[in-house]
Amino acid sequence: MANIKVIVAGPRGRMGFEAVKLVHNTEHFDLVAVIDRKHDGGNLSDVEGFQGIDAPIFSDIKECFSKVEADVLVDLTTPEVGMYHTETALQYGIRPVVGTTGFTKEDLAKLDALTKEKGLGCIIAPNFAIGAILMMKFSQMAAKYFKDVEIIEMHHDQKLDAPSGTAAKTADLISSVREAKVQGHPSEKETIPGARGADVEGMRIHSVRLPGLVAHQQVLFGSAGELLTVRHDSFNRGSFMSGVKLSVETIMNLDVLVYGLENIIE
Ligand SMILES: NC(=O)C1=CN([C@@H]2O[C@H](COP(=O)(O)OP(=O)(O)OC[C@H]3O[C@@H](n4cnc5c(N)ncnc54)[C@H](O)[C@@H]3O)[C@@H](O)[C@H]2O)C=CC1
Ligand SMILES: O=C(O)C1=N[C@H](C(=O)O)C[C@H](O)C1
């Protein structure tokens, strides 16, 4: 079988850097281009940290897709550009694997329609780490029995979006098995706005941002006389790479939108 031709958007970012190395080091993947805001027209091998990794650099995604033959776009950029890149890839017949977070429900609905129209797969993965996917699934299982839930997500202080994509996805999975419930005291009042966190159907999400952290989440389930805590920690960005690899391989056989890797892991 032919190698899978991959474009990475956001190569100089924390995640993009790891993804470029993964694609470069995987025998059946070819890194055919990168999309970067800087170094337009240059080659990645001339950029500090990427010596020996040959790939043309484009700043304009449409120019890149017009000039370079590719199967998959791996997007690891920002909430502002992630949606534009994803839609553009589908328009050009390229399958998007999207790690970028911050997509709204409206964005997902739009992408669902576009993948159907184009007959192309698209993976939106709020978290590529296998442990995080299990943490979300275990939380969904627990929510059948515990209706009172608080999600605490903790990330490095350079993160742009809050709550994290993982926390939003966790709330989404829990909502699918739990009826909306107002938690806490019915008369509770915040004396400092935001003290009780974001409200998703009565569930609370708290976002912690601190230097030194990578990506961590705990989901707390309380009931009379007991507390269940489901927790996951990513200590480095290598933890996400097996999920990126699986996504690039799997998307070649998909023709629908997949939101969350729990839908493709066996
Ligand atoms: N799904 C997952 O498992 C994970 C997802 N993420 C998400 O991935 C995204 C990136 O995270 P980090 O690498 O930590 O951020 P980062 O800030 O280190 O990297 C983002 C990169 O995108 C680049 N960029 C911005 N606009 C661009 C454009 N128009 N064209 C090309 N490149 C552009 C920036 O120059 C930067 O290098 C975030 O949305 C984050 O939430 C992060 C870790 C794991
Ligand atoms: O920005 C990050 O770092 C991460 N973002 C993703 C999210 O928003 O959930 C995945 C992981 O938590 C790391």
Side-chain angles (χ1 to χ4, degrees):
M1 234 176 66
N3 281 2
I4 303 175
K5 299 184 194 68
V6 183
I7 295 172
V8 175
R12 286 178 302 109
R14 288 173 288 264
M15 278 292 282
F17 179 73
E18 295 295 328
V20 162
K21 284 194 296 176
L22 168 84
V23 175
H24 178 69
N25 292 330
T26 303
E27 214 174 319
H28 56 290
F29 294 172
D30 288 335
L31 182 71
V32 292
V34 295
I35 300 174
D36 191 358
R37 288 188 294 190
K38 272 168 103 178
H39 310 295
D40 186 34
N43 193 289
L44 194 61
S45 58
D46 297 324
V47 178
E48 197 187 335
F50 295 102
Q51 282 69 23
I53 306 184
D54 175 48
I57 304 173
F58 294 86
S59 291
D60 181 339
I61 197 164
K62 289 188 175 169
E63 187 192 345
C64 177
F65 292 161
S66 308
K67 290 188 172 163
V68 176
E69 198 191 312
D71 300 305
V72 177
L73 168 74
V74 175
D75 193 84
L76 296 159
T77 58
T78 66
E80 284 72 38
V81 291
M83 180 65 182
Y84 169 67
H85 281 177
T86 307
E87 283 182 296
T88 309
L90 288 166
Q91 296 292 3
Y92 277 78
I94 295 168
R95 299 160 175 84
V97 166
V98 183
T100 307
T101 49
F103 283 64
T104 63
K105 287 206 172 3
E106 291 72 32
D107 290 337
L108 295 173
K110 217 167 155 193
L111 293 174
D112 187 38
L114 191 54
T115 49
K116 283 181 182 138
E117 183 194 318
K118 299 287 175 191
L120 277 178
C122 173
I123 295 179
I124 308 287
N127 202 310
F128 286 115
I130 179 72
I133 296 156
L134 291 173
M135 175 263 296
M136 289 186 259
K137 287 300 286 177
F138 294 157
S139 299
Q140 186 187 35
M141 284 166 68
K144 266 173 96 172
Y145 307 97
F146 291 85
K147 304 297 173 204
D148 290 79
V149 191
E150 305 247 345
I151 299 170
I152 306 173
E153 57 97 336
M154 294 160 281
H155 282 84
H156 57 93
D157 64 349
Q158 298 305 300
K159 186 163 178 59
L160 294 176
D161 53 320
S164 69
T166 308
K169 176 69 186 183
T170 308
D172 201 54
L173 287 171
I174 290 175
S175 293
S176 69
V177 297
R178 166 192 180 272
E179 277 185 23
K181 178 183 182 211
V182 178
Q183 296 182 184
H185 195 284
S187 306
E188 78 178 10
K189 277 198 180 61
E190 289 181 335
T191 54
I192 299 179
R196 290 286 290 117
D199 183 339
V200 182
E201 297 183 354
M203 247 180 285
R204 298 294 172 155
I205 304 181
H206 310 270
S207 296
V208 177
R209 298 289 177 264
L210 286 172
L213 294 175
V214 178
H216 318 262
Q217 178 168 296
Q218 51 187 40
V219 187
L220 272 53
F221 296 92
S223 187
E226 58 177 326
L227 174 74
L228 171 66
T229 305
V230 186
R231 179 172 174 127
H232 177 260
D233 297 274
S234 271
F235 297 114
N236 60 50
R237 290 170 182 88
S239 63
F240 303 115
M241 290 304 125
S242 59
V244 175
K245 181 168 178 278
L246 175 72
S247 299
V248 171
E249 290 163 348
T250 308
I251 203 169
M252 296 305 292
N253 301 313
L254 289 178
D255 56 4
V256 292
L257 174 75
V258 167
Y259 171 47
L261 290 203
E262 70 279 6
N263 296 300
I264 61 171
I265 58 168
E266 310 249 310

